[in-house]
């Protein structure tokens, strides 16, 4: 914090969020908002939009209203803010009359800095709110909900037009992860933003690995998924499936293999759904098999992988879904499985959707993505209109470039068979005929008499499926969705069939994973050793921190990732902070968190540093040694460049371990009694110091409370 001047955005970033630097555009966005400009922010999911309006809210006087579409989303965001020591609240239909009055009271008194509010509520109560409160900024989150073109249209959002009419001088910041031009324009016109500054961040999320797998039978796919999950037993992930039925089936298979997973879809009751979502947030159920209904409300930062069990309908949806992984910036994996069967069904849906042309086109784009033989990230970003000059190195194509071969003969065999079957059969029948199957239907229809019967028996059924997918995407064949998906030879296909054009195909490789590099390394390490997994001291340490995080989270009744995220957890294990100052150096950790959880965490770190690095001098012993030499706590703090409360916590820990130190010299009898009284009033709960501190009207400092509790306990 040394280099940051109070009252700059960077100072607030460090103080409230514990981060040392802004991500691209965040600072410019904040400054623009502080200048009172209307602002539109386009940033991918997980890109860091929230800070962009939260920091201005903290810096401005008065209150910021935040419009948010979902009750669960509001609650999560407010919980997360409060977990960072920021005064925030929400108004929506889930509150009782009394709770609502309380919220409004705190807003009027000026203690609440951010008030989250449902759009319809803001519209209905707008006049009252602005007359009662000192509103300085209005943030509109998930702003694409205003556009009827988009995938999340919410009619309530369109009423937000009245904000500018009624209060033209209050700046509006609109934020969304949907970047297409139509939506962008819609947001600006509908909200009537005045000469807005538009910030378009990069949509690249480099920490997400991208891979696509095809040509697998159902059983192989499930086996692979089970293997993948077993390799990552402590991690959370989502498996997106095409239908409700599939979510249930996949969850059942996983459960049958001892993997705790639940399903989630819109056919469940609201109660069941919110329970599953909460269990996922709280790390109680690590894996959810879901339809795309499981989505916008997920703010969990430690989702480590996303799978698509089926091909998504379009690239927009796919990108948004994989974006839910790795919000904490740590490496995370995404895997997309797709098959010919998916394409048949999705084509049918698209055709029947009422916007057939658009939806078929979108489906074709994601098929092309799935079949790509160039860097997938480049392809995705170019879809979103972003040029990306290099190959990413973190997708399956980059890590394992496809090999091409002259597939003219393979293509000719298929096309010739299609022709000879009068373009009347679908791909399953086609493959059976080319492979020379003896099944009765084929004999009955006389398909065993055609010239190409059995001509492709050297290629397996799964590989034929993949080649047919390639031919479909290369435009050699067409699938007639209105004729039971029978296959037709296209004009381009005819050129190949008649030898006027060569056809290059991608060689099919069987099974391998593309996962984040580090994990692959781990996997090899384990294979080399070929011994049952032994738990290393580091893993043990990580485990214990994770457990403590869960305990703290349940005490606070928030999801564990809100106590601190996985990135912080990894840093603690790596850096082994042994005092307050070292904890505050960890990116994402703050004073507020140290005051609340510092002692519990220190105890774990101390225990494990001794194991991991026995030579490390215990910081607590050092403070105690200096004290024995006759230095005062203040002198020790100065000499060691630590906070005074840290020194006292060292004393308390030394005392607990049986050191000869009289704590009563630092905390008076009277103070001890008051703390005791507060603890009794709080029903003996000493897990958190803040309620005690508050009960005592903030008159007794934290370090004295801790000393008093130490004395009480021993
Ligand atoms: P979005 O709303 O765009 O999906 P969030 O605002 O939830 O994304 O941010 C995603 C994650 O990134 C959060 O865990 C947040 O704390 C973290 N984050 C945001 N800004 C920074 C930053 N400057 N440095 C490090 N982490 C950040
Ligand atoms: Zn790549």
């Amino acid at each position: 914090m040394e280099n940051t001047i109070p009252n700059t955005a960077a100072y607030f970033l460090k103080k409230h969020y514990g981060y040392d630097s802004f991500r691209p555009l965040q600072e410019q966005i904040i400054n623009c908002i502080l200048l009172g400009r209307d602002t539109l922010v386009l940033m991918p999911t997980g890109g860091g939009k929230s800070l962009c309006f939260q920091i201005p809210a903290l810096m401005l006087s008065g209150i910021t209203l935040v419009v948010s579409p979902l009750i669960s989303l509001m609650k999560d965001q407010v919980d997360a803010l409060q977990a960072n020591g920021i005064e925030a609240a929400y108004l929506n239909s889930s509150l009782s009359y009394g709770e609502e009055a309380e919220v409004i009271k705190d807003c009027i008194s000026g203690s609440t800095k951010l008030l989250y509010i449902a759009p319809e509520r803001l519209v209905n109560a707008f006049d009252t709110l602005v007359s009662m409160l000192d509103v300085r900024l209005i943030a509109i989150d998930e702003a694409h909900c205003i556009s009827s073109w988009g995938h999340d249209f919410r009619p309530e959002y369109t009423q937000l037009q009245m904000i500018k009419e009624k209060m033209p001088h209050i700046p509006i910041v609109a934020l969304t992860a949907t970047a297409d031009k139509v939506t962008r324009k819609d947001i600006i016109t509908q909200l009537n933003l005045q000469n807005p500054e538009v910030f378009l961040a990069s949509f690249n999320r480099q920490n997400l690995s991208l891979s696509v797998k095809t040509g697998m039978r159902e059983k192989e796919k499930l086996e692979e998924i089970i293997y993948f999950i077993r390799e990552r037993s402590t991690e959370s992930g989502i498996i997106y499936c095409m239908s409700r039925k599939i979510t249930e089936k996949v969850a059942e298979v996983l459960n049958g293999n001892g993997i705790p997973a639940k399903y989630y879809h819109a056919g469940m009751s609201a109660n069941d759904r919110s329970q599953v979502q909460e269990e996922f947030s709280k790390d109680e159920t690590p894996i959810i098999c879901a339809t795309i209904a499981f989505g916008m409300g997920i703010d969990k930062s430690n989702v480590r992988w996303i799978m698509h069990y089926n091909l998504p309908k379009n690239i927009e949806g796919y990108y948004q879904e994989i974006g839910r992984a790795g919000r904490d910036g740590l490496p995370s994996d995404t895997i997309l499985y797709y098959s010919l069967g998916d394409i048949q069904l999705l084509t049918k849906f698209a055709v029947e959707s009422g916007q057939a042309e658009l939806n078929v086109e979108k489906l074709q784009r994601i098929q092309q993505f799935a079949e790509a033989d160039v860097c997938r990230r480049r392809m995705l970003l170019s879809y979103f209109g972003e040029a990306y000059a290099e190959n990413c190195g973190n997708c399956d194509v980059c890590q394992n470039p496809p090999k091409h071969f002259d597939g003219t003969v393979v293509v000719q065999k298929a096309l010739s068979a299609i022709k000879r079957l009068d373009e009347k059969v679908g791909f399953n029948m086609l493959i059976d005929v080319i492979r020379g199957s003896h099944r009765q239907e084929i004999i009955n229809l006389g398909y065993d008499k055609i010239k190409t019967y059995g001509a492709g028996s050297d290629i397996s059924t799964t590989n034929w499926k993949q080649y047919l997918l390639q031919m479909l995407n290369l435009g050699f064949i067409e699938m007639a969705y209105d004729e039971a998906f029978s296959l037709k030879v296209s004009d381009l296909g005819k050129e190949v069939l008649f030898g006027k054009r060569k056809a290059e195909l991608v060689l099919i490789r069987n099974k391998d994973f593309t996962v984040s590099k580090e994990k692959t390394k781990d996997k090899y390490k384990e294979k080399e050793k070929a011994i049952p997994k032994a738990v290393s001291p580091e893993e043990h340490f990580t485990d214990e921190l994770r457990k403590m995080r869960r305990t703290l989270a349940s005490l606070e009744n928030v999801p564990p990732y809100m106590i601190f995220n996985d990135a912080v957890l990894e840093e603690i294990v790596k850096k082994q902070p042994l005092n307050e100052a070292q904890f505050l150096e960890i990116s994402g950790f703050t004073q507020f968190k140290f005051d609340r959880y510092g002692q519990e965490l220190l105890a774990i770190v101390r225990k494990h540093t001794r194991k991991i690095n026995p030579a490390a001098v215990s910081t607590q012993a050092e403070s105690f040694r200096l004290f024995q030499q006759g230095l005062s706590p203040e002198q020790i703090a100065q000499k060691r460049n630590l906070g005074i409360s840290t020194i006292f916590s060292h004393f308390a820990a030394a005392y607990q371990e049986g050191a000869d130190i009289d704590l009563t010299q630092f905390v008076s009898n009277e103070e001890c009694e008051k703390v005791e009284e507060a603890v009794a009033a709080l029903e003996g709960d000493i897990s958190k110091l803040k309620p005690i501190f508050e009960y005592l009207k903030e008159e007794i400092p934290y370090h004295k409370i801790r000393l008093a509790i130490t004395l009480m306990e021993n």
Side-chain angles (χ1 to χ4, degrees):
M1 235 190 277
E2 302 106 61
N3 299 326
T4 43
I5 310 155
N7 301 324
T8 63
Y11 169 83
F12 282 83
L13 179 71
K14 183 67 187 163
K15 176 161 184 258
H16 291 284
Y17 302 88
Y19 300 134
D20 295 306
S21 57
F22 283 106
R23 289 191 182 154
L25 294 186
Q26 284 180 326
E27 196 167 19
Q28 291 93 308
I29 294 167
I30 291 169
N31 289 333
C32 177
I33 295 172
L34 290 173
L35 286 173
R37 297 272 310 267
D38 282 349
T39 313
L40 174 60
V41 176
L42 309 148
M43 236 186 225
T45 311
K49 285 185 285 298
S50 318
L51 285 185
C52 296
F53 62 84
Q54 289 170 355
I55 288 183
L58 292 169
M59 295 177 75
L60 292 166
S61 64
I63 193 167
T64 293
L65 303 182
V66 186
V67 178
S68 179
L70 291 179
I71 290 178
S72 66
L73 206 63
M74 272 183 221
K75 183 177 180 310
D76 268 8
Q77 294 234 347
V78 168
D79 282 349
L81 284 164
Q82 288 176 349
N84 278 332
I86 296 168
E87 303 284 346
Y90 58 81
L91 274 186
N92 62 35
S93 56
S94 74
L95 298 185
S96 70
Y97 187 75
E99 286 168 331
E100 201 172 301
E102 194 70 22
V103 166
I104 291 179
K105 204 180 87 198
D106 287 344
C107 291
I108 294 175
S109 79
S111 63
T112 303
K113 294 302 294 175
L114 290 121
L115 178 66
Y116 284 69
I117 187 163
E120 61 277 10
R121 172 63 66 89
L122 177 67
V123 170
N124 295 336
F126 193 75
D127 295 332
T128 334
L129 282 174
V130 290
S131 67
M132 278 189 315
L133 308 178
D134 180 16
V135 179
R136 296 302 175 102
L137 173 66
I138 295 180
I140 299 180
D141 207 3
E142 312 287 355
H144 61 278
C145 292
I146 208 166
S147 172
S148 55
W149 294 101
H151 44 90
D152 267 330
F153 176 54
R154 285 168 191 265
E156 318 85 87
Y157 261 64
T158 53
Q159 293 179 298
L160 297 172
Q161 289 175 334
M162 46 77 72
I163 301 176
K164 248 316 147 199
E165 271 164 40
K166 291 206 167 170
M167 286 287 152
H169 63 281
I170 301 180
I172 294 180
V173 49
L175 308 100
T176 176
T178 303
D180 67 78
K181 290 209 180 88
V182 187
T183 313
R184 205 184 301 177
K185 236 176 83 194
D186 237 13
I187 295 173
I188 294 174
T189 36
Q190 293 214 46
L191 289 175
N192 197 10
L193 299 183
Q194 300 300 301
N195 184 24
E197 186 90 52
V198 177
F199 293 93
L200 174 60
S202 167
F203 271 62
N204 184 19
R205 301 269 316 276
Q206 188 65 36
N207 64 320
L208 305 183
S209 80
L210 307 170
S211 68
V212 179
K213 322 208 87 196
T214 175
M216 274 186 182
R217 268 171 291 164
E218 205 69 4
K219 188 163 165 279
E220 289 173 326
K221 194 155 89 172
L222 285 165
E223 274 168 8
E224 191 174 276
I225 292 173
I226 290 165
Y227 174 78
F228 177 93
I229 294 172
R230 287 206 175 126
E231 290 277 299
R232 304 165 165 65
S233 55
T234 55
E235 299 182 354
S236 279
I238 305 172
I239 305 179
Y240 280 107
C241 308
M242 181 154 40
S243 69
R244 296 174 184 183
K245 226 168 92 192
I246 300 177
T247 64
E248 295 182 11
K249 192 197 79 185
V250 175
E252 191 187 311
V253 172
L254 295 181
N255 293 160
N257 281 276
I259 294 168
K262 291 202 168 159
Y263 60 84
Y264 181 107
H265 56 64
M268 296 156 61
S269 72
N271 247 346
D272 288 352
R273 270 182 290 154
S274 68
Q275 180 165 355
V276 171
Q277 182 168 333
E278 188 165 325
E279 285 175 21
F280 182 64
S281 273
K282 294 195 167 171
D283 289 350
E284 287 162 10
T285 302
I287 293 158
I288 307 294
C289 309
T291 60
I292 55 170
F294 192 57
M296 200 150 66
I298 314 298
D299 251 358
K300 183 175 159 73
S301 71
N302 60 338
V303 178
R304 288 272 71 87
W305 53 264
I306 303 280
M307 275 184 205
H308 282 88
Y309 193 81
N310 308 99
L311 189 73
K313 281 198 289 235
N314 52 49
I315 291 186
E316 288 87 348
Y318 165 73
Y319 201 65
Q320 199 157 55
E321 283 137 28
I322 62 170
R324 303 203 169 104
R327 280 173 186 250
D328 51 19
L330 296 178
S332 306
D333 296 316
T334 77
I335 300 174
L336 162 62
Y337 290 98
Y338 93 120
S339 68
L340 266 167
D342 293 348
I343 288 176
Q344 284 195 342
L345 264 175
L346 289 170
T347 309
K348 187 166 174 295
F349 296 155
V351 168
E352 292 166 359
S353 67
Q355 277 184 300
E357 208 175 318
L358 180 71
N359 288 334
V360 169
E361 160 74 20
K362 289 199 164 193
L363 180 58
Q364 281 168 353
R365 296 299 294 271
I366 190 152
Q367 268 173 263
Q368 285 160 3
F369 166 77
E371 280 292 334
D373 52 8
V374 297
C375 171
R376 294 202 200 273
R377 198 173 311 268
R378 289 180 78 162
M379 199 164 168
L380 267 182
L381 293 174
S382 96
Y383 181 84
F384 292 116
E386 195 177 322
Y388 190 71
E390 271 148 58
N391 291 339
C392 78
N394 195 19
C395 75
D396 54 346
V397 176
C398 281
Q399 293 190 347
N400 217 346
K403 293 196 178 60
H404 297 263
F405 71 103
D406 180 354
T408 311
V409 176
V410 176
V411 175
Q412 283 171 336
K413 280 181 190 169
L415 297 181
S416 158
I418 292 173
K419 275 282 183 204
R420 285 168 200 277
L421 293 165
D422 292 332
E423 305 192 316
K424 283 214 175 83
V425 305
F427 64 87
N428 280 326
M429 177 60 91
L430 174 71
I431 292 170
D432 283 353
V433 173
I434 317 183
R435 285 185 35 80
S437 152
H438 298 294
R439 74 187 159 87
Q440 198 57 44
E441 196 189 356
I442 289 179
I443 313 290
N444 292 349
L445 290 163
Y447 289 169
D448 57 335
K449 305 285 184 313
I450 72 159
K451 202 174 156 219
T452 28
Y453 176 76
S457 58
D458 53 329
I459 296 174
S460 71
T461 303
T462 25
N463 286 7
W464 265 119
K465 283 193 185 164
Q466 294 189 64
Y467 287 135
L468 288 175
L469 269 173
Q470 291 184 28
M471 292 177 216
L472 203 60
N473 286 317
L474 290 167
F476 300 147
I477 53 180
E478 283 157 10
M479 207 157 55
Y481 51 83
D482 50 352
E483 292 173 38
F485 299 103
S486 56
L487 299 169
K488 317 269 174 199
V489 178
S490 69
D491 289 343
L492 197 66
K494 283 181 194 143
E495 292 182 25
V496 181
L497 186 57
F498 302 129
K500 290 191 207 134
R501 171 188 284 273
K502 285 204 171 305
E504 200 165 75
L505 294 180
V506 170
L507 194 68
I508 293 159
R509 266 184 302 240
N510 289 321
K511 282 189 219 131
D512 49 2
F513 274 115
T514 299
V515 295
S516 57
K517 284 179 209 149
E518 231 154 285
K519 299 240 174 67
T520 323
K521 252 193 309 180
D522 281 345
K523 211 154 73 188
Y524 288 137
K525 239 183 0 209
E526 260 170 48
K527 270 201 194 123
E528 268 168 34
K529 283 194 237 148
I531 43 166
K533 240 186 181 171
V535 182
S536 71
E538 277 86 1
E539 279 170 325
H540 196 72
F541 186 13
T542 310
D543 241 35
E544 215 160 305
L545 284 171
R546 225 188 272 276
K547 271 191 206 131
M548 173 58 73
R549 179 170 71 170
R550 279 182 72 158
T551 310
L552 293 170
S554 70
L555 286 169
E556 306 258 4
N557 197 23
V558 295
Y561 70 88
M562 280 185 199
I563 302 290
F564 49 83
N565 67 23
D566 282 9
V568 170
L569 196 139
E570 282 194 1
E571 283 261 283
I572 295 178
V573 173
K574 206 169 88 197
K575 295 201 172 147
Q576 305 170 10
L578 284 164
N579 57 46
E580 182 171 336
Q582 289 172 357
F583 257 103
L584 295 181
E585 275 170 21
I586 287 183
S587 173
F589 206 86
T590 57
Q591 182 71 51
F592 181 80
K593 304 229 173 212
F594 189 84
D595 292 341
R596 288 194 158 194
Y597 318 122
Q599 295 315 311
E600 286 81 353
L601 295 174
L602 270 173
I604 296 179
V605 180
R606 272 194 214 114
K607 192 167 123 199
H608 285 275
T609 43
R610 278 185 215 130
K611 277 188 203 145
I612 294 169
N613 184 2
V617 187
S618 154
T619 179
Q620 145 208 329
E622 175 67 9
S623 295
F624 182 57
R625 197 179 58 79
L626 292 172
F627 182 67
Q628 278 181 319
Q629 284 176 3
L631 271 69
S632 72
E634 289 76 13
Q635 286 168 322
I636 300 172
Q638 202 177 20
K639 190 174 161 74
R640 302 201 59 200
N641 199 15
L642 294 172
I644 186 80
S645 66
T646 307
I647 304 301
F648 282 114
S649 74
H650 291 166
F651 290 175
Y655 177 83
Q656 266 168 333
E657 284 177 14
D660 180 19
I661 181 169
D662 178 14
L663 297 184
T664 59
Q665 59 188 304
F666 307 121
V667 51
S668 72
N669 238 338
E670 193 192 350
E671 285 164 332
C672 282
E673 274 165 19
K674 280 189 182 163
V675 172
E676 233 169 298
E677 192 187 302
V679 172
L682 295 163
E683 294 170 351
D685 184 2
I686 52 166
S687 60
K688 283 175 285 172
L689 298 189
K690 191 166 180 233
I692 304 176
F693 181 64
E694 282 170 355
Y695 182 90
L696 295 169
K697 305 197 178 64
E698 311 192 351
E699 278 163 7
I700 298 182
Y702 275 103
H703 76 268
K704 289 200 176 191
I705 298 176
R706 200 176 302 280
L707 290 173
I709 288 177
T710 310
L711 284 166
M712 262 165 67
E713 281 190 310
N714 289 278

